[in-house]
Amino acid sequence: MITASYSHFAQAKEVVNFWARSDQSALPMLVSEYNKSQDKVTVKLNEIPNAQMLTKLSSAIGVGNPPDIVAIDLVYFPELNRSEQLVDLTEKIGKMDYVSQFSPTLKGIGTYNGKFYAVPFAAESALLFYNKKLFREAGLDPNHPPETLAELREYSEKIRQLGNEYYGLSIPGTSSGGLAFTFMPYLWANGGSVISSDGKKSVVNSENNKRTLTFFHNMYKDGLMSPMSRLDASLNDYFASGKIAMVGSGAFTFKVFKEQYPNLEYGVTYFPGEKKGDWASFTGGDAFALPVGSKHQDEAIDFINWTLSKNTQVELLAKNGFVPTRMDASDNPYSQQDPKYLLANKALAKGYIPFLVPYNETFNATNSPWLTMLQKSIFDGDIDGALKTADQKINQIIKMAEE
């Protein structure tokens, strides 16, 4: 009887259902610490493969049973906002102090028709990683990474002189998303782009892009780029083996290398263009949003506010090897211990994200026009044909999305 009486009067915690993509490694830690920090709400994390997230979310919203909060790759927000699947957070979150601390790119990707729908919490900078040990062995200054495409080729030529198994550069030639994150910055740094700034048309077939793709085709043709580029989608282990001098990756790899390859001596730099001082980075990451039909909006917003507090950004994210999203949290005692984090934060401030509703079909799909264009131009050398075909197919995809 005592147990029954107590159960009757005890106030149960509200359960906030939270869907997130399974490869966002910061979230289990954030959810666990938030649940420990208060006694009113339990956030229940359900990790879903990224490729399934949009389909599952749209279906759940359609039948009126969505999660209370979601964390989704930033690139998908133009599509979600256009289809009116997210709650307008302008009044509840739009004026919070941390919103002013987002970079223009991060703030812009969550804004639609002047309203605020997405709260970035885990931002990633795309960077060029280089092996300092290989640089020294090749007679290169390990503290002077390439600042131009010409230097990128020069350094690769010297790396090749170390032996047949050594290569200057490798790219994830079978990964659509990986190439968007780590190759598109080369186009931007060289004055090119793929999509117009308003996301309405393709601008891929340009002289600037032709020059950039010609450069990388010559790198591949002349044996300076690893032949694995044509076959492999994941480069971290390959880079860590010490046979590849330079690869593109994200700031999230800092934590991976620290845990899995603690003795790997490497540095990071920006993706260079033809001219010194011209560089670019892709801003990736995830953002919080509330699906239409969310039943615990206030509780979900409390979790968002806690996650974006400066203390959480520094003492949980930065302390555990993640890059803070808030710009005023970037220069903290933990990032000051490693200049790579400061460089990643600078890249985050200048980084760019293509604004495009059919992003998945254009870039991430297995047979996307983006992937086909890079494979045909870099590996096969059909640069004019690849650019022309990609331009046509991307415009077709955009047109279909608008109908």
Side-chain angles (χ1 to χ4, degrees), residues 38 59 181 184 209 239 241 243 266 279 296 363 402:
Q38 44 73 48
S59 297
F181 191 56
M184 206 178 303
N209 287 346
F239 175 72
S241 73
K243 303 300 183 182
Y266 71 97
W279 61 269
H296 294 94
F363 294 107
E402 292 177 344

Side-chain angles (χ1 to χ4, degrees), residues 251-266:
F252 60 87
T253 310
F254 298 166
K255 182 176 176 63
V256 175
F257 282 167
K258 184 176 181 179
E259 294 174 351
Q260 298 182 11
Y261 303 102
N263 297 320
L264 179 63
E265 189 181 1
Y266 71 97

Side-chain angles (χ1 to χ4, degrees), residues 1-15:
M1 294 296 296
I2 296 176
T3 302
S5 176
Y6 178 81
S7 299
H8 178 74
F9 289 106
Q11 185 176 1
K13 287 186 177 183
E14 294 282 1
V15 176

